[in-house]
Amino acid sequence: MSLEISRRALLAGGGCLCCAGLTGMAQARIAPSAMTPLIGPGYKPLETDEKGLWSQYERIEQDIAGSNLLIKDPKLVAYLGGLAGRVGGPAARDLRVYLAHIPEFNAFMAPTGFMVVFSGLLTRMRNEAQLAGVIAHEAGHFLRKHQIRAWRDVRRKTDAFTMLGMGLGGLSAAGGGFAGIGDLYQLAQFGTIFSLAQYGRDLEKEADATGLRLISEAGYSPIEMSNTWSQLIAEIEASAAMRKKRPFRGTSLLASHPAPADRMADLRASAVEIQASGRSYDAGRDRYLSIIAPHKAMLLDDQVKLNDPGASLYIIQNLAKDGWSGTLRYYEAEIWRLKGKGKGADEARAVQGYAAAVQMPDAPAEAWRAHGYSLLKSGQAEPGKRALARYLAMKPAASDAAMVRYSMAQ
Amino acid sequence: MSRLPLILAVSASLVAGGCVSTQQVADVQFSPPEGDYSLIVMRPDVTVGSVTMGGLTEPRADWTETSRANLIAALKAQQAGRGGRTMILETRAQAGANAELVADLERLHNAVGASIQLHKYLGQDLPTKRRQGIDWTLGEDAVRFGRSTGYDYALFMYAEDSFASTGRVLLGVLGTAGCFVGFCAPMQGGRQLAYASLVDLKSGDVVWFNVLQSQLGDIRKPEGATQMIERLLGRMKAGREVRKAAS
Amino acid sequence: MRSKSLIAILMSFSLAACAGGGGGFGGYSLVQPKARAVANGKMTVTPPRPWNRVPRSYYDIAEEENWTLNGPILDSIGFIAALKDGKAIVRQRRKEDRQVPVFRSNMTPPEIVSMIESLYRIRGGAAEFAMTGLKPATFLGRQGYQLDYDYLDQNEIKRRGRSYGAVIHGRLYLMLLDATRMHYFEHALPDFETMARGAVLRS
C-alpha cells in the first residue's frame, strides 16, 4: 500500500538504539554553523535540468492546492505558515506549507519551495520546537539545494544500474520516472526522492545541521530535534514488538538512508554544544498543545483506526506525559478494542478504558457510546441504557442515533 | 492528474515494431461535431522529457512548454478548420463554472478514462457493455457543467512524449541493454502517448475515445504537434450505426 | 471488497496483460437477470438486469463475490456470506503492522461498522471516512443493519457506499455497494436496493 512508503518504514531498517553513536561517528558530524544557505530570497533556477523540475513542480503545486485531501482550517494553516516564516531562513517569505490529511509521519519539500506536511506529523509532535525542527530540516534541503543534487545523483546511479543490467524493474515501477503527478498519495509513494528521508547520508546530515541552526537561531530548544527521532524509533520498535517481529526492514529506498541512531546522536551532540552558549531556549509546548487541541480527536481517530496497536499505544502514552484526558483514555481503549478481537485480556482493557474515559470531564460522546455498549454486552442493561442516552444527549444529530435508540430499546 | 500512462506504459511494450498506432472507440450513434458547435478543452495535460540511460524520464521545462504551446496552437487550428468555437482551459477557474465542480469532473474522468482503457483496450471486457461503441458517462454533473459554461462538448486530452538521451541511444544500438539473467525490460528509446476523450455535455456521455501510441514524431516541433493532433482528433470516425447508414 | 486503489487495480490488470493473458485472472463473466447463488453459494440474489461478475483477485476471501456494472473503478457490489467467527473480511498476513480486525459473532452493529471502516482505512487507503447513517434494518429476513458512508479514495475521488448486513447463527452476511459519488452510486442504487430486499438465505 502506498502509504507504507513513509518515514517510519524508511527508518525502520536503521538498526537498534543500542548501537547509537558509540563508534566515533562524531568525527563525521557537520557543524550547524557551517551550514550557510546556498540560495537567497526569491530564488529562481538557471540551469536546464533544474528548470525542468521547477516547471513540473509548479503544476504539481497547482494540483495540490486543489486537492481534496488538504486540511484547510485557517488557524492551523496560518500556524504552519508562521512556523515556516520563523525557521525558513532566507526562504522564509518564499516557503508555502500545505497540510495533507494523511495519517503518516512524513513531510516533503518540493524543489520550488512548497512543503507538504502530513497530519500524522501533528499527531506525534509534543511541542512546537519539534514541529519547527521538521519544517526547518525540510527547509534545509531547499536552502542547500539538495533536491536537484539528489535528482542528479539518482540519475547518475541509475545510469550505472543500466550498465550492470540491474534496477530497471524497480525504477520503472516508480511510474516510469515522470514526476508529473499531482495527487498527494502518489507523491508520497513515487515522489519519495523528495520525501523526508531519501537524500543519502551526507545530505541528510546537512539538512539536520541546517535545521538545527535555523531553529536555534529562532529560539527553539535544539535538543527537540533529536527527541523527534528517539520518539519515532521508539514507536517503530513498539509497533514491531506488538506484532512479535523485528522492526520492518528492506526496501531498496533504505540503501541511501543513514542510520537514524547516528543522526540522533549527532543531533544530540550538536544541540548540547549550541545550548552550552547559555542562551535560553523554549520548546513551545503550551502554544502547540492549544493550537492542536481542537484537532486532537480527529488526529487520534485517524491513527488509531489504522489498527497498529504498538505504534498507537506508544503515541498516546507519549502524549499522556502532558496529562491524561477523556479523549486520550477513549482512544487508548479503542486501541485495545481493535486489537482484542472481541475477547480476552485486550477486550477487558478496552472495557476498563471506556469506563475510565467517561469519568473525565472532557470525555467525548463516543466514549459514552462505547461504554454503553460494553455495559449492555456484559448484561448491565440499565447502566448501559443510561450511558447510551448520555451519548444521544451529547450528540442528538448523531448519524447512528437510530441504531443507538434501537439498542436501548432491546 | 491522469493515471493512465501507467497502464499504457506496460502495454506500450507490447506494441510491435514501435510504429504509430491509434485506436478509436465511439458511441454507435456518434457523429463527429461539425458546423456551429462549441467545445471546451479541459486542462490539457502535457509532459515532455528526456529518457536517461537508466529509464528515468527527466522532465524538460523548455521541451514541455514548447510542446504544450504547439499542441494548443495545433488544436486551435484544427478546430478552426472544423468551424466550431473552442476554448482551451489553462486553469480550472477559466471555465466559468464552479472550480470544485471542474476538479471533481477531472477526477471522475480519470476514473472513467481508466475504466474505458481497462475494459475496451486491455481485454478486460464487460459482458454487459455493447461490443461496439462506448457505454460510459460522466453523468448529470457534466450536463450541469455544460449548462453553466454554455459548451456543447468537452474534450479531455493527455499527451506525453519522451526522447532518448545520448547514453540511452547507445545502449539501444548495443542491443544488450535491458537483458540480464533472463530478465528483459522493454527498451524504449522514447515514446509518444496520448489520449483524447470527447464528452457530449448535453448527455454527459463519453461519445468518443482515442488512444495514440507512437515511437515517431516530435511535438517539440510545430509539425510534430500538428501531426499528433491530426492523428488523435483529425480522423474522428463516426459511430458504427452512422457509418452503416451512410454507406 | 472493492475498495482497492485505482493504482492497485490498474497495476494488477496491467501485470496480467503483461503476462500475455488478456484476462489473466479469468475475465469478467455475465450475470443473468435471474435468481443466482452468490458468495460460495450461501445466499441467493436476483439482479433486475444483467451485471458483470468481477474475476477473483488475490485479496478476495472464499466467502466473497463481487459484481460490477461499469467496471470496479466506478461501481461494485460485494457479497459476503456465512463468514465464520474469527475470520477477516480480507486476506492479510498475520504479521501485518496494520490489521483489519476479524469478524466476531458477538459484534454489535457499531463494531461491524468499525471493521468495515478499518478495511477502507487500512487497505483502501481511504482518507476521511465518514459514516453518514447507521440504522436497524432487515436483511435476509433477520434483524440487521443499514450502513451509509462517504469517503475519499487514494485518487482523491469522492466515493459513497451502502451496506446491509446481519449476523445469523453466528455468521456474517452482508452486501455492500461502493461507487463514485458522482453519478455511479445513484445509478446502481436501485438495483442494489432490489437485490438486498430480495436476498434469500440458502441453507
Side-chain angles (χ1 to χ4, degrees):
Chain A
M1 181 173 149
S2 67
L3 292 185
E4 280 168 13
I5 314 289
S6 64
R7 184 183 204 180
R8 54 174 285 156
L10 295 171
L11 268 188
C16 64
L17 262 173
C18 56
C19 319
L22 300 175
T23 55
M25 287 307 294
Q27 288 121 317
R29 184 156 58 94
I30 297 175
S33 52
M35 291 290 98
T36 354
L38 297 176
I39 67 175
Y43 172 78
K44 292 276 180 280
L46 297 169
E47 289 160 278
T48 309
D49 58 354
E50 194 180 348
K51 275 187 183 172
L53 275 180
W54 196 276
S55 149
Q56 283 301 103
Y57 275 85
E58 272 171 349
R59 301 193 54 231
I60 289 172
E61 183 173 0
Q62 266 183 38
D63 277 355
I64 284 178
S67 166
N68 275 335
L69 285 172
L70 286 190
I71 293 175
K72 293 190 166 151
D73 178 85
K75 284 209 184 96
L76 208 41
V77 169
Y79 173 70
L80 289 171
L83 284 186
R86 228 168 292 141
V87 301
R93 289 204 192 290
D94 302 319
L95 296 177
R96 287 92 60 199
V97 185
Y98 298 92
L99 180 61
H101 194 176
I102 298 177
E104 294 295 328
F105 186 148
N106 206 348
F108 69 82
M109 181 88 210
T112 49
F114 76 87
M115 184 183 312
V116 179
V117 169
F118 288 18
S119 57
L121 202 62
L122 300 182
T123 314
R124 291 158 167 86
M125 299 290 92
R126 288 203 57 207
N127 53 50
E128 191 167 295
Q130 289 193 353
L131 183 56
V134 172
I135 291 176
H137 172 102
E138 289 304 306
H141 283 310
F142 181 60
L143 293 170
R144 299 284 300 173
K145 297 196 67 171
H146 288 173
Q147 290 101 344
I148 189 61
R149 278 158 72 177
W151 173 257
R152 287 172 181 153
D153 198 46
V154 165
R155 195 218 149 133
R156 257 196 314 277
K157 279 190 186 136
T158 57
D159 280 357
F161 280 151
T162 304
M163 294 313 280
L164 296 171
M166 298 189 317
L168 272 177
L171 290 168
S172 59
F178 269 111
I181 37 189
D183 85 58
L184 292 165
Y185 279 100
Q186 270 240 303
L187 216 43
Q189 180 177 14
F190 300 139
T192 51
I193 188 170
F194 299 126
S195 156
L196 199 56
Q198 186 37 23
Y199 289 86
R201 182 169 292 238
D202 293 335
L203 298 191
E204 288 296 1
K205 288 193 173 197
E206 275 195 25
D208 281 345
T210 311
L212 255 187
R213 178 175 170 167
L214 290 166
I215 67 166
S216 55
E217 282 172 0
Y220 288 112
S221 178
I223 199 73
E224 293 297 339
M225 273 182 80
S226 60
N227 287 346
T228 309
W229 283 93
S230 59
Q231 283 163 203
L232 190 61
I233 290 170
E235 179 192 325
I236 290 166
E237 295 187 338
S239 168
M242 186 69 80
R243 298 288 181 209
K244 297 189 176 46
K245 60 185 194 182
R246 289 153 68 71
F248 176 76
R249 294 171 183 286
T251 69
S252 58
L253 296 166
L254 281 167
S256 61
H257 181 74
D262 282 350
R263 288 175 62 184
M264 199 171 71
D266 281 2
L267 282 168
R268 179 161 283 138
S270 293
V272 164
E273 276 175 11
I274 290 172
Q275 289 185 189
S277 71
R279 179 180 168 182
S280 75
Y281 293 98
D282 181 28
R285 194 184 79 177
D286 293 334
R287 201 163 48 242
Y288 181 74
L289 290 178
S290 72
I291 292 277
I292 292 298
H295 309 281
K296 181 77 73 80
M298 173 195 77
L299 294 172
L300 289 173
D301 206 60
D302 292 338
Q303 170 62 31
V304 167
K305 283 177 174 173
L306 294 174
N307 197 20
D308 181 346
S312 302
L313 273 173
Y314 175 81
I315 289 168
I316 288 199
Q317 282 158 3
N318 212 24
L319 293 175
K321 288 180 186 162
D322 297 313
W324 282 97
S325 64
T327 302
L328 287 176
R329 284 284 179 212
Y330 169 65
Y331 282 108
E332 191 194 26
E334 284 281 274
I335 295 170
W336 291 116
R337 175 184 67 81
L338 286 166
K339 173 180 185 284
K341 308 175 194 245
K343 59 179 188 184
D346 294 339
E347 176 72 6
R349 289 179 89 150
V351 169
Q352 277 162 24
Y354 297 130
V358 300
Q359 302 286 337
M360 311 200 69
D362 70 316
E366 290 74 16
W368 285 102
R369 178 181 59 192
H371 183 54
Y373 273 109
S374 61
L375 287 168
L376 288 182
K377 254 192 188 175
S378 66
Q380 299 173 69
E382 283 315 308
K385 290 178 191 184
R386 276 199 299 277
L388 290 181
R390 182 73 182 265
Y391 168 72
L392 288 176
M394 288 176 79
K395 255 190 155 183
S399 57
D400 60 350
M403 179 59 81
V404 172
R405 274 194 287 272
Y406 173 79
S407 304
M408 285 168 69
Q410 297 311 296
Chain B
M1 284 243 202
S2 171
R3 228 75 54 215
L4 299 181
L6 283 175
I7 326 171
L8 293 178
V10 175
S11 59
S13 67
L14 306 173
V15 171
C19 287
V20 181
S21 97
T22 62
Q23 199 180 340
Q24 299 182 23
V25 285
D27 185 76
V28 293
Q29 298 293 347
F30 174 66
S31 284
E34 52 194 4
D36 183 25
Y37 67 90
S38 60
L39 170 73
I40 183 165
V41 180
M42 306 303 280
R43 297 185 306 157
D45 202 338
V46 183
T47 313
V48 182
S50 165
V51 185
T52 66
M53 281 210 293
L56 280 184
T57 308
E58 185 182 279
R60 289 278 303 259
D62 46 352
W63 292 356
T64 298
E65 295 312 313
T66 309
S67 304
R68 192 200 313 277
N70 289 342
L71 281 171
I72 289 176
L75 260 171
K76 286 194 168 129
Q78 195 249 3
Q79 289 298 315
R82 305 190 55 111
R85 170 170 68 92
T86 305
M87 142 93 109
I88 297 168
L89 283 188
E90 295 290 324
T91 66
R92 285 174 178 152
Q94 269 182 327
N98 177 274
E100 194 174 325
L101 172 63
V102 178
D104 284 343
L105 278 174
E106 284 176 9
R107 292 184 189 118
L108 180 66
H109 183 267
N110 282 343
V112 170
S115 303
I116 294 173
Q117 298 261 319
L118 205 52
H119 303 295
K120 275 284 183 202
Y121 288 87
L122 289 181
Q124 303 286 325
D125 292 352
L126 294 176
T128 59
K129 297 285 185 198
R130 288 194 301 266
R131 294 280 312 277
Q132 305 292 328
I134 317 181
D135 204 5
W136 276 272
T137 184
L138 295 188
E140 313 70 43
D141 292 282
V143 177
R144 193 155 56 93
F145 174 73
R147 268 193 253 116
S148 74
T149 57
Y151 286 91
D152 303 319
Y153 293 94
L155 185 75
F156 293 81
M157 224 200 98
Y158 175 91
E160 84 182 39
D161 207 347
S162 57
F163 301 90
S165 62
T166 320
R168 186 92 177 168
V169 170
L170 275 174
L171 283 176
V173 165
L174 287 175
T176 56
C179 284
F180 182 76
V181 198
F183 166 70
C184 276
M187 266 317 283
Q188 293 156 22
R191 52 181 172 74
Q192 206 177 69
L193 208 95
Y195 76 85
S197 165
L198 188 71
V199 175
D200 181 342
L201 293 175
K202 297 282 184 301
S203 62
D205 296 343
V206 177
V207 291
W208 179 88
F209 194 87
N210 194 12
V211 171
L212 162 70
Q213 296 178 75
S214 172
Q215 289 194 352
L216 311 170
D218 186 347
I219 58 175
R220 296 170 299 180
K221 306 195 174 69
E223 318 85 68
T226 304
Q227 206 172 49
M228 176 186 270
I229 295 295
E230 171 58 27
R231 285 186 183 130
L232 206 50
L233 303 176
R235 300 166 194 175
M236 204 181 269
K237 294 204 292 263
R240 189 160 167 264
E241 302 293 317
V242 176
R243 274 183 282 136
K244 263 207 308 211
S247 60
Chain C
M1 284 293 146
R2 287 292 121 178
S3 53
K4 295 207 267 293
S5 73
L6 209 95
I7 293 279
I9 295 172
L10 294 179
M11 288 309 279
S12 68
F13 283 122
S14 62
L15 288 172
C18 222
F25 291 95
Y28 289 78
S29 53
L30 184 65
V31 176
Q32 302 277 11
K34 51 186 191 185
R36 180 188 170 112
V38 300
N40 242 5
K42 298 286 171 39
M43 214 159 50
T44 301
V45 151
T46 308
R49 62 175 139 160
W51 275 68
N52 304 288
R53 183 179 171 167
V54 181
R56 291 187 66 76
S57 88
Y58 174 77
Y59 296 102
D60 288 2
I61 56 173
E63 298 84 347
E64 97 176 75
E65 178 170 337
N66 295 285
W67 293 0
T68 182
L69 263 184
N70 294 284
I73 298 168
L74 296 170
D75 61 56
S76 68
I77 292 183
F79 305 93
I80 287 186
L83 186 71
K84 282 200 275 220
D85 178 282
K87 294 204 72 183
I89 50 177
V90 69
R91 194 200 274 246
Q92 62 188 347
R93 290 176 314 191
R94 218 168 36 86
K95 293 273 192 176
E96 296 274 7
D97 287 342
R98 298 171 180 177
Q99 297 199 4
V100 178
V102 302
F103 166 69
R104 295 246 76 110
S105 305
N106 67 349
M107 270 183 165
T108 58
E111 286 173 302
I112 295 176
V113 172
S114 166
M115 178 180 70
I116 293 173
E117 178 172 3
S118 287
L119 173 70
Y120 276 95
R121 284 179 182 260
I122 296 170
R123 302 307 285 270
E128 303 187 1
F129 183 101
M131 170 178 67
T132 53
L134 179 64
K135 48 190 187 194
T138 308
F139 182 58
L140 297 174
R142 313 299 163 94
Q143 193 55 50
Y145 70 82
Q146 175 189 333
L147 164 71
D148 285 280
Y149 55 97
D150 281 350
Y151 73 102
L152 217 50
D153 73 9
Q154 278 199 27
N155 299 287
E156 304 197 17
I157 296 171
K158 294 175 183 165
R159 304 185 76 94
R160 180 159 287 165
R162 175 173 291 180
S163 171
Y164 292 100
V167 179
I168 303 171
H169 300 310
R171 298 191 181 211
L172 179 65
Y173 295 76
L174 66 80
M175 279 178 63
L176 185 144
L177 168 65
D178 180 323
T180 62
R181 227 177 285 174
M182 256 188 175
H183 181 77
Y184 287 91
F185 181 81
E186 291 301 323
H187 183 71
L189 190 61
D191 274 24
F192 178 73
E193 287 289 314
T194 304
M195 287 194 266
R197 270 195 300 275
V200 172
L201 198 58
R202 286 177 111 234
S203 43

